[in-house]
Amino acid sequence: MVAIAILAAGRGTRMKSDLPKVLHRMGGRSLLEWVLNSVEEIQPVRRLVIVGYRHELVMEMLANSQGETPLPALEFVEQREQLGTGHAVQQLLTPMEGFEGDLLILNGDVPLLRPQTLKLLLQTHQENRNAATILTAQLPDPKGYGRVFRTDQNLLQQIIEDRDCTPTQRQNHRINAGVYCFRWADLGRVLPQLTTNNDQKEYYLTDAVNYMKPVMAIDVEDYQEILGINDRKQLADAYTILQTRIKEDWMKKGVTLIDPSSITIDDTVELEPDVVIEPQTHLRGKTAIGAGSRIGPGSLIENSQIGQNVTVLYSVVTDSYVAEATRIGPYAHLRGHVETGSHCRIGNFVELKNTKLGDRTNVAHLSYLGDTIAGNQVNIGAGTITANYDGVKKHPTHIGDRSKTGSNSVLVAPVTIGEDVNIAAGSTITDDVPNNCLAIARSRQVIKPGWRLKSNSDQKNMGD
Ligand code: UD1
Ligand code: CA
């Protein structure tokens, strides 16, 4: 039985921000959500978050975030004053009273931990029946981290904070990652004994570890996993590490990335093999892209489902569904629940909003369609606009199968165009149009034979 607790009460002064550090975002999630995500697979029986600085905000932001698998609700524990990591964990004494099991403690500012690493930590802890097991790493630059001293059998001797180390002790590059597994009954016993006898005059959780036995310290294979975020530079670096991970993973699974460093992909995105992502392209949120599709260069796809063999060139697609073999762009914008059929063409400078297109329908140039349902094989002529907004309400436009709108037509909604209709170029359509007809709604062209503009010389002559 495992409970988890996350330390998230600090402000994070070095972020130079009003926002609590753990709410800063990396990719599609806050740091705290990343940490919560990394423990999902362990399926903890309780999830406690220790909050302090702007705790209402932290609680509110987390209330809306739900993980993939159903987990017990978050329990928030307030630490009114931040007197150190040991003091933070002391706040658990009352809510966790009588808990029989292990407690995994994580810092809220360590977002890159792999679930596998946590599983391994827990497994080592349980198999060896340790009082505590801590995660350590060998860092090229260990500055600022607590140093861990252990025996050849991985048994902990001591953790000493960087600032409390002697120069010789500082030579040790094995650091405390801030990820701990405790037998709760043992931790509960030592927590009340902590003192502030150190350089920062704080209650250190690391002291609790020093008081327990046996404690094992195990090294993480990839030290990048345990990097903590203390400032914006580290936040940016962590994002780069995350991106490298995600992109290498997709390349292994058969996705081509052209100039990967210019591409960003959220970890919530799904790609099929033989997708090609061109430079300067960003894939965000719950997006999925089908095999053989080519996205970019210069495109943003967010919360959208893209079918197979689709091309998207210099375009933005959000909250939409694009069926197979449809071509989008250059310079198109699909937003607010667009659904296209297959083999459609949505071309240059076209905006679609809350619009549904059937199969093989084209909107090739300079159009806006909003709140429109168009059938199959419809051709929307260049410059066609649906006037969907009367200043108060939005209204729908329906266009039947095989109908064609001439260039520069305006369809004033609500309006229904039947099937096999032709709308003459330049028409302003305000009334419904039945099936099988031509609709012309513009004034006739007038020809005035022999007419010409009077020139200045003519006027002078007249005056003479
Ligand atoms: C801590 C460890 C250090 C380790 C490092 C790893 C201690 C004494 N030291 O140092 O050995 O190498 O993490 O990143 O534990 N927090 C609270 N309440 C508090 C103080 C902190 O909730 O009163 C939270 C912070 O919001 C943060 C986490 O605990 O999420 C770690 O605190 P921080 O001050 O960053 O500890 P470090 O000095 O980094
Ligand atoms: Ca830290």
Side-chain angles (χ1 to χ4, degrees), residues 247-302:
K247 286 184 269 191
E248 286 182 1
D249 200 37
W250 286 121
M251 288 189 269
K252 274 185 207 143
K253 289 177 179 159
V255 171
T256 294
L257 302 182
I258 300 171
D259 188 14
S261 66
S262 73
I263 294 168
T264 62
I265 305 175
D266 281 358
D267 77 314
T268 42
V269 169
E270 291 292 335
L271 306 174
E272 287 183 2
D274 289 325
V275 163
V276 177
I277 311 290
E278 299 246 24
Q280 308 289 352
T281 293
H282 308 285
L283 308 178
R284 295 188 187 153
K286 288 241 169 285
T287 286
I289 298 179
S293 288
R294 192 172 197 99
I295 314 294
S299 296
L300 168 65
I301 318 278
E302 191 163 356

Side-chain angles (χ1 to χ4, degrees), residues 87-100:
H87 180 255
V89 178
Q90 283 174 345
Q91 312 310 307
L92 300 177
L93 281 167
T94 310
M96 292 279 291
E97 202 182 340
F99 177 78
E100 287 175 22

Side-chain angles (χ1 to χ4, degrees), residues 15-35:
M15 294 299 280
K16 308 254 164 68
S17 173
D18 264 355
L19 198 65
K21 176 164 73 179
V22 293
L23 292 188
H24 280 261
R25 297 182 84 77
M26 184 179 84
R29 299 194 180 96
S30 65
L31 297 181
L32 193 47
E33 286 171 295
W34 278 107
V35 179

Side-chain angles (χ1 to χ4, degrees), residues 185 390 393:
D390 60 13
K393 275 176 73 181

Side-chain angles (χ1 to χ4, degrees), residues 379-393:
N379 193 70
I380 303 292
T384 298
I385 305 287
T386 56
N388 61 330
Y389 186 50
D390 60 13
V392 183
K393 275 176 73 181

Side-chain angles (χ1 to χ4, degrees), residues 71-197:
L71 289 166
L74 293 175
E75 299 171 54
F76 293 98
V77 180
E78 198 188 339
Q79 182 194 20
R80 288 215 170 76
E81 270 182 292
Q82 281 81 61
L83 304 179
T85 50
H87 180 255
V89 178
Q90 283 174 345
Q91 312 310 307
L92 300 177
L93 281 167
T94 310
M96 292 279 291
E97 202 182 340
F99 177 78
E100 287 175 22
D102 293 314
L103 177 67
L104 179 67
I105 298 184
L106 305 116
N107 285 354
D109 60 355
V110 182
L112 292 171
L113 283 167
R114 288 193 169 91
Q116 197 49 38
T117 304
L118 297 177
K119 273 192 192 162
L120 197 70
L121 180 76
L122 195 64
Q123 200 185 338
T124 310
H125 177 75
Q126 291 174 341
E127 279 172 6
N128 293 284
R129 300 174 185 280
N130 294 332
T133 311
I134 69 167
L135 195 65
T136 51
Q138 307 257 22
L139 285 197
D141 178 15
K143 196 162 170 285
Y145 288 91
R147 301 299 204 285
V148 175
F149 299 85
R150 69 172 200 193
T151 68
D152 294 342
Q153 282 77 46
N154 302 348
L155 289 173
L156 183 91
Q157 294 161 312
Q158 220 185 352
I159 313 178
I160 310 176
E161 286 309 288
D162 184 70
R163 54 209 301 161
D164 299 311
C165 277
T166 65
T168 328
Q169 287 171 331
R170 256 184 222 118
Q171 302 292 308
N172 177 4
H173 284 223
R174 175 168 287 117
I175 63 95
N176 169 25
V179 180
Y180 318 79
C181 206
F182 290 103
R183 195 187 297 142
W184 169 253
D186 293 41
L187 179 63
R189 259 194 301 279
V190 298
L191 277 177
Q193 300 168 30
L194 299 181
T195 65
T196 57
N197 188 14

